[in-house]
Amino acid sequence: QVQLQESGPGLVKPSETLSLTCTVSDGSISGYYWSWIRQSPGKGLEWIGFVYYTGSTNYNPSLKSRVTISVDTSKNQFSLRLNSVTAADTAVYHCARRGSTSSPDGAYFYYGMDVWGQGTTVTVSS
Amino acid sequence: QSALTQPRSVSGSAGQSVTISCTGTSIDVGGYDYVSWYQHHPGKAPKLIIYDVTNRPSGVPDRFSGSKSGKTASLTISGLQAEDEADYYCCSYAGTYLYLVFGGGTRLTV
């Protein structure tokens, strides 16, 4: 069963860049869509964006101007960069895989995340 | 404020059934059959329990079922068990601009 593990600094200063990496183990990053999702304290989940293993991306329009999600297939990793952070970006950040099933026409990617990392807490504070 | 509206909390006794609603608009829940539901025990990884409104991933008990009517999707949990006590989130595809939106979450107390 594929497993995901987030890593990166737990503390980031305001106006700086938040950088996280998700390592995919017991499975390949190729052939799938990968996502970042966050949960701010006391709030619900917020989708940040997707990256396909080829590098193509989709972002939450509310974060698009500050977000970059990239993939490194050689390392079986994908990454999140969020620029110009503020206290509002304090959250638990999860990486996840977009789920898929097999169909006669090939893989069907549904709009749900079937594998998640435990999450990593990032605090924005000086 | 979350894009999709869920009740903040619901409760039920062991063995009973509960239904959690998720209300959106015509550009998300009402526009596509791409609603998913997640179970989240705080401190753990969220777990996918329903995708595409009604489908259960392998390993999810058939006590969990999903449905949709118009702009409202619902998650029903029958035969409640103590371990079902968790936060539940709905999520919907919302077109090529918004793409994915979540509900604010519902705390289930058993």
Side-chain angles (χ1 to χ4, degrees):
Chain A
Q1 168 75 335
V2 64
Q3 297 184 66
L4 307 181
Q5 180 65 59
E6 305 90 348
S7 59
L11 181 65
V12 181
K13 290 182 169 55
S15 81
E16 295 190 345
T17 297
L18 178 160
S19 295
L20 297 175
T21 296
C22 183
T23 300
V24 181
S25 58
D26 299 324
S28 176
I29 202 167
S30 295
Y32 289 93
Y33 290 85
W34 305 91
S35 186
W36 287 97
I37 295 147
R38 69 182 184 179
Q39 182 171 23
S40 301
K43 297 188 177 181
L45 299 171
E46 180 181 29
W47 173 73
I48 299 172
F50 275 125
V51 62
Y52 193 40
Y53 78 102
T54 58
S56 64
T57 54
N58 295 95
Y59 297 131
N60 185 323
S62 69
L63 298 170
K64 188 173 183 176
S65 64
R66 299 193 292 129
V67 170
T68 302
I69 299 177
S70 58
V71 63
D72 186 337
T73 55
S74 68
K75 295 182 179 179
N76 234 32
Q77 295 176 333
F78 62 104
S79 299
L80 168 70
R81 286 175 59 87
L82 182 65
N83 303 325
S84 305
V85 298
T86 69
D89 295 309
T90 293
V92 175
Y93 286 77
H94 293 275
C95 58
R97 186 184 75 175
R98 182 176 171 185
S100 67
T101 59
S102 299
S103 76
D105 298 323
Y108 165 66
F109 292 97
Y110 52 83
Y111 291 98
M113 274 60 75
D114 68 341
V115 181
W116 293 67
Q118 288 273 82
T120 187
T121 300
V122 178
T123 301
V124 179
S125 176
S126 55
Chain B
Q1 188 169 351
S2 301
L4 307 180
T5 301
Q6 298 180 234
R8 293 187 73 101
S9 64
V10 298
S11 63
S13 301
Q16 289 185 332
S17 296
V18 294
T19 296
I20 300 171
S21 62
C22 170
T23 302
T25 69
S26 58
I27 67 169
D28 40 61
V29 175
Y32 306 93
D33 289 333
Y34 297 141
V35 176
S36 55
W37 288 90
Y38 302 87
Q39 178 190 64
H40 188 205
H41 291 100
K44 294 192 173 182
K47 177 184 178 182
L48 176 70
I49 53 175
I50 296 287
Y51 68 93
D52 289 1
V53 179
T54 62
N55 294 302
R56 281 187 307 277
S58 173
V60 174
D62 60 6
R63 301 187 296 105
F64 294 88
S65 62
S67 62
K68 193 187 88 165
S69 177
K71 302 171 188 175
T72 298
S74 299
L75 172 71
T76 298
I77 309 170
S78 58
L80 276 174
Q81 300 179 3
E83 59 261 37
D84 296 334
E85 188 162 289
D87 296 322
Y88 291 84
Y89 292 90
C90 63
C91 178
S92 176
Y93 177 69
T96 56
Y97 178 66
L98 291 176
Y99 216 81
L100 275 189
V101 290
F102 278 93
T106 298
R107 172 65 56 90
L108 169 62
T109 301
V110 179

